[in-house]
Amino acid sequence: MIPIKVAGSDLGKLAGESRSPAATALQYLQPGALNLTALPPLSLYIHFPWCVRKCPYCDFNSHEAKGALPEKEYLDAVRLDLEQSLPMIWGRKIHTIFIGGGTPSLMSAAGLDRLMSDVRTLLPLALDAEITMEANPGTFEAERFKSYRDSGINRLSIGIQSFNGNHLKALGRIHDEAEALRAVEIARSTFDNFNLDLMFALPGQTLDEARRDLQTALSFAPPHLSMYHLTMEPNTVFAKYPPTLPDDDTSADMQDMILEATASAGYQHYEVSAYAQSGRQAKHNLNYWQFGDYLGIGAGAHSKISFPHRVLRQARYKQPGSFIEAAKRGNPVQEEHEIARGDMGFEFMLNALRLTEGFDPNLFGERTGMSISAITKALNEAEGKGLLYRDHKLIKPTELGQRFLNDLQEMFLGS
């Protein structure tokens, strides 16, 4: 946590703004401005936008690789993006890094080494920084992953999704069951810390098949598991041509099975979709859920950056070519806005309510610059409906609240 000084250089004056520090300060101190007494922890997200093939359920900013990737040109643009972002975060330490996509494991070993070198040159990293990279089992090469580790990656997140060949085909994945098993073996022998992504409620999936997927994953004793319910996201192939999915009762049975099996194996269910061995929670994701700050660089990346009297959100250009050209021109940010004071309570609770063990009420004030009284009405209503537990030290969703999390979160809209 970094104490905030109310001085011109600390007011978050962005590169390219024409306001003077005095004028900026005057704007921030108007009625309705926030009052953060300290800045939250800061993470770095780096987006690599290409993949081998777009999966029919995927709504992430990913683009099928056609021909040779413009890796050097893209990494040049990412460095420019980072350099142009430095005035917003000057002097702040990076606690976690996450390289996501797309399929970052399509990056060459030399490219990843160059990327990490650029980051270390431009940013102060915490000595114990968690540095995660996403990987697709269809791209695993043992020697390349050893090179990734040597470049500084200390945590791998593997998109397994299923160990069942038929379900992998239905999901449009580029790997088969054998490649999935091999990927986990390589990860386990190369990295001390890794995560396995699995999905359930897949097209045609039975409860027994979901159980076998989970048992296979647990047999590797991964430090961390992410278990996602397949959803039909807008603007995906599955949304346009929906497959036949398990009914709600079967999906609920799968969820109950997952909770029981992971608990029996010694995993803590600490976030809606996340299960971890003791001390192995994903620090990067925890920072999101605790409404920490993150700088997102690369095509389509999103940022949330706090200043003494405002919180800023940004989004980069999504198309890789457009992002590269915008970075060369000096501003890869396509959209930018401040979070309105009236939306701050909802934005905080949208994230924090995902934590099954809840949060200290003081965290609300630390991260929003507002009093917890701003959401008292919604808290009372949620507590009255049995969706929320709270006392002077803790606010957390009840078991019922976890089951109906969307309904619980929506109660804080406009609070």
Side-chain angles (χ1 to χ4, degrees):
M1 302 278 279
I2 302 174
I4 297 177
K5 304 171 187 173
V6 182
S9 61
D10 295 311
L11 287 169
K13 187 174 183 294
L14 303 183
E17 283 187 345
S18 59
R19 304 185 197 96
S20 68
T24 306
L26 194 60
Q27 176 202 5
Y28 287 163
L29 296 175
Q30 288 175 349
L34 306 176
N35 184 27
L36 274 70
T37 56
L39 296 179
L42 177 64
S43 294
L44 175 67
Y45 174 80
I46 305 170
H47 194 75
F48 189 83
W50 291 283
C51 57
V52 176
R53 184 173 64 220
K54 183 85 169 178
C55 296
Y57 59 85
C58 177
D59 69 336
F60 294 134
N61 183 38
S62 58
H63 306 266
E64 290 190 11
K66 296 175 182 176
L69 295 178
E71 182 178 276
K72 181 185 182 302
E73 190 179 13
Y74 184 73
L75 293 178
D76 287 345
V78 167
R79 177 170 179 133
L80 286 171
D81 187 0
L82 182 53
E83 288 174 344
Q84 293 153 15
S85 301
L86 290 179
M88 291 195 302
I89 58 167
W90 201 256
R92 297 179 65 181
K93 187 173 289 187
I94 300 294
H95 294 272
T96 69
I97 299 174
F98 194 100
I99 305 172
T103 304
S105 50
L106 288 176
M107 207 182 318
S108 69
L112 188 279
D113 193 59
R114 177 259 169 101
L115 174 63
M116 292 304 302
S117 177
D118 285 347
V119 168
R120 289 194 187 91
T121 299
L122 295 169
L123 294 172
L125 299 187
L127 291 177
D128 62 346
E130 175 193 270
I131 305 175
T132 303
M133 182 179 189
E134 286 185 334
N136 186 310
T139 64
F140 265 67
E141 296 172 14
E143 290 306 311
R144 186 148 48 93
F145 277 81
K146 288 178 183 176
S147 296
Y148 290 162
R149 180 197 61 198
D150 293 343
S151 295
I153 303 299
N154 55 31
R155 183 175 182 272
L156 208 61
S157 184
I158 313 167
I160 298 292
Q161 314 315 351
S162 176
F163 290 100
N164 181 303
N166 291 330
H167 293 145
L168 289 171
K169 287 180 182 177
L171 291 172
R173 302 295 288 172
I174 64 169
H175 65 277
D176 58 22
E177 182 177 346
E179 288 173 312
L181 294 168
R182 177 175 171 271
V184 184
E185 287 286 6
I186 292 174
R188 188 168 63 165
S189 65
T190 310
F191 290 88
D192 173 62
N193 197 6
F194 64 94
N195 166 65
L196 301 182
D197 272 355
L198 288 179
M199 301 175 77
F200 66 96
L202 306 177
Q205 188 179 42
T206 66
L207 177 60
D208 283 343
E209 288 172 332
R211 182 181 287 110
R212 281 196 293 274
D213 265 355
L214 180 55
Q215 288 172 343
T216 301
L218 291 173
S219 71
F220 291 100
H224 193 281
L225 270 172
S226 298
M227 302 289 302
Y228 298 108
H229 189 298
L230 176 63
T231 54
M232 301 294 101
E233 300 291 348
N235 303 315
T236 63
V237 173
F238 272 3
K240 189 173 182 180
Y241 306 103
T244 302
L245 302 177
D247 60 30
D248 290 344
D249 288 341
T250 303
S251 295
D253 290 342
M254 291 178 181
Q255 181 72 62
D256 290 338
M257 176 273 296
I258 291 166
L259 291 170
E260 182 179 339
T262 51
S264 297
Y267 287 77
Q268 178 195 3
H269 180 212
Y270 72 97
E271 187 270 336
V272 172
S273 303
Y275 305 78
Q277 293 176 347
S278 179
R280 296 302 191 110
Q281 292 90 342
K283 295 178 183 178
H284 187 86
N285 289 350
L286 273 176
N287 193 41
Y288 286 147
W289 311 139
Q290 293 169 346
F291 212 51
D293 278 358
Y294 47 94
L295 172 65
I297 59 174
H302 288 248
S303 300
K304 170 195 168 272
I305 306 293
S306 298
F307 303 100
H309 303 291
R310 65 171 184 166
V311 179
L312 184 72
R313 286 202 181 278
Q314 294 180 330
R316 269 63 178 163
Y317 285 90
K318 295 180 70 172
Q319 291 292 331
S322 299
F323 165 76
I324 291 170
E325 290 306 312
K328 289 177 180 177
R329 292 194 303 269
N331 187 13
V333 176
Q334 184 177 26
E335 299 175 15
E336 181 176 284
H337 71 273
E338 293 181 25
I339 301 178
R341 185 181 180 90
D343 296 332
M344 194 66 71
F346 172 69
E347 293 240 6
F348 176 91
M349 297 300 281
L350 183 68
N351 289 280
L353 287 172
R354 294 181 63 95
L355 296 168
T356 59
E357 296 302 311
F359 59 92
D360 186 318
N362 290 325
L363 186 68
F364 181 86
E366 289 176 15
R367 300 292 156 87
T368 67
M370 296 162 49
S371 167
I372 193 76
S373 62
I375 57 170
T376 296
K377 182 179 178 182
L379 287 171
N380 289 339
E381 185 181 354
E383 187 177 18
K385 292 184 176 180
L387 300 175
L388 195 76
Y389 168 84
R390 64 173 171 148
D391 57 32
H392 67 289
K393 290 185 177 179
L394 181 67
I395 296 174
K396 63 177 284 188
T398 61
E399 187 174 329
L400 185 65
Q402 291 177 37
R403 287 284 185 179
F404 296 95
L405 182 59
N406 288 344
D407 295 327
L408 175 57
Q409 291 167 326
E410 286 175 6
M411 294 176 73
F412 292 88
L413 267 172
S415 63

